[in-house]
Amino acid sequence: MSTVKLDAKIPSGNLADKWSNYKAHQKLVNPANKRRLDIIVVGTGLAGASAAASLGELGFNVLNFCIQDSPRRAHSIAAQGGINAAKNYQNDGDSVYRLFYDTIKGGDYRAREANVYRLAEVSVDIIDQCVAQGVPFAREYGGLLDNRSFGGAQVSRTFYAKGQTGQQLLLGAYSALSRQIGRGSVRLFPRHEMLDLVLVKDGDGTERARGIIARNLVTGALERFSAHAVVIATGGYGNAYFLSTNAMNSNGSAAIQIYKKGALFANPAYAQIHPTCIPVHGEFQSKLTLMSESLRNDGRIWVPKKKEDAEAIRAGRLQPTDIAEEDRDYYLERRYPAFGNLVPRDVASRAAKERCDAGFGVASSGLAVYLDFSDAVRRLGEATVEARYGNLFQMYEKITDQNPYKTPMMIYPAIHYTMGGIWVDYELMTTIPGCFAIGEANFSDHGANRLGASALMQGLADGYFVLPYTIQNYLSDQIRVPRFSTDLPEFRDAEAAVRDKITTLMNIRGKRSVDSIHKELGHVMWEYVGMGRTAVSLEAALGRISEIRDSFWGDVYIPGDLGGMNVELEKALRVADFIEVGRLMALDGLNRNESCGGHFREEYQTDEGEALRDDLNYSYASCWRYRGEGLEPERVIEPLDYEFIVRQQRNYKS
């Protein structure tokens, strides 16, 4: 155990007053001085685009980077179901406190109290901001914005735009970002990928984040960029599993880069399994398709009660419509009567796995359950169901060639979101002065499991309403620091290190493709560090990942050359980092001898098969410090001391 003590900088006082008190007493930068300060924002998803737009609006000079050809292609566009906010338009008992508590409980009491309350508090402002930008949220007959339910809550607080909420929110953020680009306060660098963080020592010896090395993905050139602060908004690391719901470009490389420069990586074992994904359909598949959690509002999840019926379905002798109502096991409604099909994602995923492992799964593989809308169609009519979910149904039919209005959807859990990420304090700053991490790239708000519709909420909260305040507290002491020349030795050394790494990779000239190694890693991660983990499986994963690492650095083949566009080189650099992420995930899981949220150690479960926490020994965030190539990382802990709520065994039955 490390003797390093982390300072989360949580304000004192009552929970509901912490953020207001912080804002009232923070340091500010006046408008004239803002013009003298440069900020790099890496990423243009909801967190990155909203942060870059907001900082540009405040008057800072912002350099914004994305690997796509347009910010509109950031993976936030893929979010479907909605965004949470405690507006209580339904008058059904919601409040800021209830959203806070549902989030803490949904995260299995492994999140930081103060951050989560702030998230719930600013959620109400996010909706107003997005409506002002023209985001076309669904509305009810009276004109108010409509809400629907999501897992882990007994109120309707999820705002949505059909099944395209992420797309519409991203277009809103993109419009705000475009305005700042037009004004000249933001400079956009598309098709640029960050490959290293540059640290420069102050006169007092403090190393601060002062820039990045980026690769121009079109020309292949390495380029240097300097700034007074760097913001990482590059999303999560779910693609370490190869098959996930993430876009193929989504990666954890920026997180690993700053981890190797001194940022701590917190709770890497916390990976979310989404319960409603279209099942794997072939070995050549490169990604999985998500079906929105919102479908669980009206869809009912079931498997056959009789094993012989399940076997007949798998063999093609029976169709789901042949199974009588009394022979269907609506297992979520049976096991969790208070929440039914709207239990949190980790609970629903494990329940599906348990039924399939017991032999009741459907599809030819046996790795699927049904999501059935027949009851909703009878109750509401097909037109109403289509109005709510039409584009999602259309997407499902295009992929599977089955009509979900007539035949139940088949779904199975898949890797989706990652709750772990770079450790940040209350101000969203990492352990590297001047380096901030926002959105899914940080660890701070979700604990061991994310409630659905909270990813969009956190990304926009961080970008629009938190970072613009907290970064000023840091930059207020930097206004006398002149702009940095990228000719400094630190920039030259960082670029040389990146060039050496790329040259080494290109010169291996082995026999294995990048994808073959990535697939092998993904298989190990899913089988040994997936929905169910044990000490034995995690130990095995660590051994296998070491072998994969050796194979990668000894036998990978990257075609092409250093100049110009080289997609295989891009993938190779990311897979090298996924290998490091996978090792951290397995190591973190092995060191947490309990089950909580998305981390389910099979040795630690209740008699009813639920996650069994150990609050006495593991009420902390586990943070990993890089110690050098070939050395085991050091574990540092941040105790999660709860002042305002009492930890309990999660209960979704009553």
Side-chain angles (χ1 to χ4, degrees), residues 1-5 591 617-618 620-623 634-638:
M1 181 85 53
S2 172
T3 57
V4 175
K5 300 295 182 184
N591 278 271
N617 295 303
Y618 294 99
Y620 57 72
S622 53
C623 312
E634 177 187 13
R635 184 163 61 93
V636 182
I637 68 169
E638 180 201 342

Side-chain angles (χ1 to χ4, degrees), residues 15-16 19-20 23 96 116-125:
L15 186 63
W19 182 231
S20 296
K23 291 189 292 182
V96 167
V116 178
Y117 194 90
R118 177 176 64 187
L119 176 65
E121 188 178 351
V122 304
S123 70
V124 297
D125 298 321

